[in-house]
Amino acid sequence: MVEALVGAANRARERAGFLSVEAVAALADGGVLILDPFSTLVSPDVALAAGVTLWPGTIVQATEGGRVAVGRGTQLFPGTRVVADGGRISIGAATEIGEEGGFTIKTGHSTGVIEIGSHARLLGGGSLALDNSVGDGAQVLGPIRMQNCRLQAGGSHRDPDPDRRGGVLKGSGVARGLTVPTGMVIQAFGLFSEAPLRPQSFFHPKPQG
């Protein structure tokens, strides 16, 4: 019975262009932590570095010649979907994606590029579409639809000086064509283009020395 169910699942996976259950589990041989190979979908030739964690319910997919690379120590939490439908998606090391509601990252054309740096955080059910650059330490916090934006690199959210951290979008709504410099944040609940750009210390006062 179990073998029949796994066989049926594998045939469906093959038709959809994903690795078999056994092949997903075998990613552990390369140092990838797979918590549930039955609910995790991964395309062949996706590049996952040692130390990547794929939580249950994650999808990492490359179609139409697309490429996906995920760096060492990065965590993809439940409900995260990374899809290079053509184009290229690169994710750096020790980045956290999809906690607090999943996250969708998708290129939709052959020249699309989404670059996410190291020590970044993308949380709370948001999405990246079209071309985007999320620099080292930058953050997207909340159900935000981000299109053609650039968050500049800086320290991670653990940096004691908030004005040295990577750029941040927080709240909910739509962000299009925006650049957020290092140490700055836009908080909005609607259109981010209508919200002010503020230093991150506005929300997180610097520690007194």
Side-chain angles (χ1 to χ4, degrees):
M1 182 66 175
V2 173
E3 290 183 359
L5 288 173
V6 172
N10 284 340
R11 288 190 293 274
R13 285 169 179 245
E14 183 179 5
R15 288 197 298 272
F18 291 108
L19 296 173
S20 68
V21 172
E22 294 88 349
V24 171
L27 293 171
D29 296 339
V32 179
L33 181 58
I34 308 290
L35 296 170
D36 181 5
F38 294 96
S39 69
T40 303
L41 298 176
V42 180
S43 290
D45 302 323
V46 164
L48 302 173
V52 167
T53 299
L54 300 183
W55 287 78
T58 55
I59 300 172
V60 187
Q61 183 177 17
T63 64
E64 302 297 328
R67 292 174 291 155
V68 178
V70 183
R72 180 181 294 272
T74 282
Q75 297 198 62
L76 303 185
F77 288 95
T80 296
R81 183 169 177 246
V82 180
V83 181
D85 187 14
R88 175 174 61 86
I89 298 173
S90 63
I91 302 172
T95 281
E96 302 171 29
I97 300 177
E99 197 169 20
E100 300 177 10
F103 212 93
T104 298
I105 301 165
K106 184 176 181 180
T107 61
H109 54 87
S110 61
T111 59
V113 176
I114 294 177
E115 296 179 326
I116 301 168
S118 298
H119 302 282
R121 290 202 305 168
L122 290 78
L123 314 179
S127 67
L128 304 185
L130 306 178
D131 295 339
N132 290 279
S133 175
V134 178
D136 292 350
Q139 301 178 78
V140 182
L141 307 176
I144 301 165
R145 294 172 56 199
M146 180 171 156
Q147 302 169 355
N148 293 328
C149 292
R150 176 180 175 82
L151 307 184
Q152 293 184 350
S156 77
H157 68 284
R158 296 183 177 87
D159 193 306
D161 185 347
D163 293 337
R164 295 175 55 185
R165 298 172 186 171
V168 175
L169 295 177
K170 62 187 297 186
S172 62
V174 179
R176 294 192 181 101
L178 299 175
T179 295
V180 181
T182 301
M184 304 298 285
V185 57
I186 299 177
Q187 182 183 45
F189 300 92
L191 293 177
F192 278 73
S193 60
E194 298 177 352
L197 188 66
R198 294 187 173 106
Q200 292 187 37
S201 55
F202 178 86
F203 297 95
H204 305 283
K206 297 182 182 182
Q208 301 298 316

